[in-house]
Amino acid sequence: MEIDGIISAIVIGIVIGVLGRLVVPGRQRIGILWTILVGILAALAGSAIAGAFDVADTEGVDWVEWLIQIGLAALGVAALDRSKARR
């Protein structure tokens, strides 16, 4: 992976993390760095899942891939928030 791929993964991860956080209702007790990390992981995993279902490369905006990534980010944010709440 080249440097521009890494930078774009970080930027997309930030967007996905923030959108995933907005989907989860209520207040989350995790920081912005955790949100970004969850977003990056969700973006990578969502791209892999979309590729496995052959919906990653469509004409125009890849809405299905985005929805998968945002859903994974929301799950990650909610899971991390619950694990932080138990402490």
Side-chain angles (χ1 to χ4, degrees), residues 5-21 32-45 47 66 69-70 72-74 77:
I6 294 170
I7 292 171
S8 65
I10 291 171
V11 171
I12 291 170
I14 291 169
V15 172
I16 294 295
V18 169
L19 290 174
R21 190 171 181 150
I32 191 69
L33 291 177
W34 281 111
T35 302
I36 292 170
L37 183 63
V38 166
I40 291 170
L41 293 174
L44 294 173
S47 293
W66 274 83
Q69 292 171 337
I70 293 169
L72 289 174
V77 166

Side-chain angles (χ1 to χ4, degrees), residues 56-68:
D57 292 324
T58 59
E59 291 185 25
V61 179
D62 295 327
W63 293 110
V64 175
E65 183 177 8
W66 274 83
L67 290 174
I68 293 170

